[in-house]
Amino acid sequence: MIGVVYLGSNPKTQERLKYIPGQLVRMTSIYKDAAQICTPHVANEHFIVFFERNVRNEDITAITYLKKKSRSVYIILMTDPMTDEERDVYMKCGINDTIGREATVTELNKKIQFISDRESILFDDERPKYHILKFKIPVWKRLFDIVFSILAIIVTSPIFILTAIAIRLESKGPIMFKSKRVGTNYAIFDFLKFRSMYVDAEQRLQELSKEHNQYAAHEQEEHKTIVAPLGDQAEQAMFDMGMESEMMISDEEIMLVGDDFVVAESDFSKQKEEENDNAFIKIENDPRVTKVGRFIRKYSIDELPQLFNILKGDMSVVGNRPLPLYEAEKLTADKSIDRFMAPAGLTGLWQVEERGKGGVMSAEERKQLDITYGQTYNFMLDMKIILRTFFAFKQKENV
């Protein structure tokens, strides 16, 4: 059950709210009265408050008071376009959403319907508190990692020295390359590799990923987004682009309205799904790689510094590959979380399944292999992966 309250003194807004179909909007200009109205009298009673923006300090006092007095209130700030600083201030004091000060009856009603349809999510004040599950590496696996990494560093120390000299002789820049990676439990750490690219490699990634990314199934289609202020100007922009008739035909379609855009919910969801499907970036025939870099990549020598990550505890010998931030941020949906509830590793299931064969793997196949490892890993599986890694370390693909 949702009630609607208007807190403000704008006669035009009050007039429009009277015509919301099926809603009796209670109105007041005193925030303490609004807080009293928004006090639930029965179970699962919730309130939407349209809050007319006024003087900032007074608004902050009123919004803070409303939030303190009622957990069952959803505050929508009615405002003109704001600066980033202003938006940040209002969000911190407790607003949940914004809408244009001159929003039409249709826009106001759609906002109410949008919130009402999601009442169980937005107002779930009866939800019990859950403990956040975190992966904890088993003792046997951590002990194996320490022993293995120490022995491997000692054995490969001549390779470390020769590789460092070769990198320094070929090109300017640091011998080691550090990048922020996301591992177990979404923890961020400094991931170590021998530098195999020229020093401006990161700046060139964006232009290369669109053309050469082997995980990208297709170019994302352009989505019809209205870049315009809210209210009448947004409606006019939609009319000019031929979207008014679409909305009139399909009253079921929900339009997502921001401070400077209007977009159909279905289009927005499709765009986010495509971004998540193409989360991984893998460049074929990467022109950013040096000659020494190609050699050490071919034989996986560039990965050796990660032995220090293993010794430190950032990674394990076997696990799911830690991802760059721009990839990991696209894998926060429920179906992808399990890959981070497992060790981050130097080698793993997907490397030995496909990488050694020189096959091209889709992003979905890789995610599923990561999830499978996280759900089934054990000592014997780790030993099998390590043995198979020695046969797969010489890459047959130029990536």
Side-chain angles (χ1 to χ4, degrees):
M1 182 189 307
I2 289 187
V4 181
V5 178
Y6 171 69
L7 177 53
S9 55
N10 187 328
K12 293 182 179 179
T13 304
Q14 292 174 343
E15 185 67 23
R16 287 194 294 270
L17 287 169
K18 291 179 182 179
Y19 293 97
I20 300 294
Q23 285 285 352
L24 176 61
V25 181
R26 285 175 280 186
M27 303 184 187
T28 180
S29 59
I30 303 172
Y31 67 85
K32 290 186 177 181
D33 289 347
Q36 185 66 33
I37 295 172
C38 294
T39 302
H41 295 91
V42 296
N44 298 320
E45 184 179 16
H46 305 115
F47 298 90
I48 299 172
V49 175
F50 286 101
F51 187 102
E52 192 86 40
R53 181 184 172 194
N54 196 4
V55 179
R56 183 196 290 184
N57 291 340
E58 296 177 3
D59 290 348
I60 292 173
T61 300
I63 294 168
T64 304
Y65 185 87
L66 280 169
K67 282 291 185 178
K68 182 179 179 180
K69 290 295 182 179
S70 178
R71 294 179 55 193
S72 302
V73 63
Y74 188 96
I75 300 177
I76 302 174
L77 184 68
M78 305 191 73
T79 178
D80 297 319
M82 296 186 289
T83 65
D84 291 341
E85 186 268 336
E86 290 172 332
R87 185 180 292 106
D88 186 58
V89 168
Y90 276 96
M91 288 182 66
K92 285 181 178 178
C93 72
I95 68 164
N96 300 98
D97 203 348
T98 62
I99 196 168
R101 196 187 296 272
E102 302 298 327
T104 64
V105 174
T106 300
E107 290 173 333
L108 293 168
N109 187 49
K110 282 185 177 292
K111 182 69 74 174
I112 293 171
Q113 291 302 314
F114 181 86
I115 296 167
S116 298
D117 292 342
R118 291 155 179 80
E119 182 177 5
S120 61
I121 299 173
L122 299 175
F123 296 97
D124 196 2
D125 42 17
E126 300 297 326
R127 180 184 297 176
K129 295 182 179 179
Y130 296 99
H131 294 290
I132 298 175
L133 295 177
K134 286 191 175 183
F135 172 80
K136 187 175 181 180
I137 190 167
V139 175
W140 66 263
K141 192 170 180 64
R142 181 62 188 142
L143 289 175
F144 177 81
D145 290 340
I146 293 172
V147 174
F148 182 96
S149 58
I150 291 175
L151 292 176
I153 289 170
I154 295 172
V155 171
T156 60
S157 56
I159 300 176
F160 271 87
I161 296 171
L162 292 173
T163 303
I165 294 172
I167 292 172
R168 178 54 58 86
L169 289 176
E170 182 184 20
S171 62
K172 295 180 179 180
I175 293 170
M176 292 291 183
F177 175 75
K178 290 183 180 180
S179 65
K180 296 294 183 182
R181 293 291 179 102
V182 180
T184 306
N185 299 318
Y186 289 95
I188 300 173
F189 64 95
D190 287 326
F191 181 81
L192 302 176
K193 295 183 76 171
F194 278 123
R195 182 173 60 83
S196 60
M197 294 184 177
Y198 295 102
V199 291
D200 64 344
E202 294 250 318
Q203 289 81 354
R204 298 171 62 188
L205 175 61
Q206 187 173 3
E207 59 186 82
L208 287 169
S209 60
K210 292 182 180 180
E211 183 178 354
H212 299 284
N213 183 12
Q214 69 172 238
Y215 286 134
H218 53 79
E219 290 290 333
Q220 294 184 8
E221 296 178 359
E222 292 186 6
H223 297 273
K224 188 175 287 186
T225 302
I226 311 301
V227 181
L230 292 177
D232 295 337
Q233 293 184 39
E235 287 190 342
Q236 183 61 45
M238 294 169 69
F239 177 80
D240 294 340
M241 294 185 70
M243 293 183 67
E244 184 186 54
S245 57
E246 296 177 15
M247 292 183 64
M248 293 175 65
I249 293 173
S250 178
D251 291 335
E252 299 295 325
E253 179 66 286
I254 295 174
M255 304 304 293
L256 303 183
V257 182
D259 285 331
D260 57 359
F261 71 88
V262 179
V263 63
E265 184 182 35
S266 58
D267 287 345
F268 180 81
S269 299
K270 182 179 178 182
Q271 183 177 1
K272 297 304 293 182
E273 183 177 350
E274 288 178 353
E275 288 177 356
N276 290 337
D277 287 343
N278 294 329
F280 299 115
I281 295 179
K282 192 174 184 181
I283 307 299
E284 298 177 283
N285 300 315
D286 197 334
R288 303 173 300 160
V289 181
T290 63
K291 291 179 181 179
V292 171
R294 293 190 189 282
F295 179 82
I296 63 177
R297 281 185 169 205
K298 183 176 182 180
Y299 294 96
S300 298
I301 296 172
D302 62 322
E303 310 286 353
L304 288 179
Q306 288 152 47
L307 291 169
F308 291 99
N309 285 123
I310 295 171
L311 186 60
K312 183 181 176 183
D314 296 326
M315 297 168 55
S316 182
V317 176
V318 182
N320 294 333
R321 195 66 171 161
L323 300 179
L325 302 184
Y326 55 79
E327 292 183 2
E329 69 178 356
K330 298 177 182 179
L331 294 176
T332 56
D334 290 345
K335 64 181 181 179
S336 303
I337 286 176
D338 282 351
R339 84 166 304 281
F340 295 96
M341 298 295 106
L346 175 65
T347 186
L349 188 59
W350 76 266
Q351 287 99 323
V352 299
E353 288 291 335
E354 292 291 335
R355 196 177 187 185
K357 301 176 184 178
V360 175
M361 184 189 300
S362 71
E364 184 58 33
E365 288 173 328
R366 177 174 167 181
K367 281 187 285 189
Q368 291 306 314
L369 284 173
D370 287 344
I371 291 171
T372 298
Y373 176 78
Q375 295 172 342
T376 62
Y377 78 93
N378 55 60
F379 180 77
M380 290 305 300
L381 177 59
D382 279 12
M383 294 305 103
K384 289 179 182 178
I385 291 174
I386 290 173
L387 288 175
R388 291 180 64 185
T389 299
F390 286 107
F391 296 97
F393 79 98
K394 181 176 181 293
Q395 297 187 37
K396 296 181 181 179
E397 52 184 14
N398 189 16
V399 296

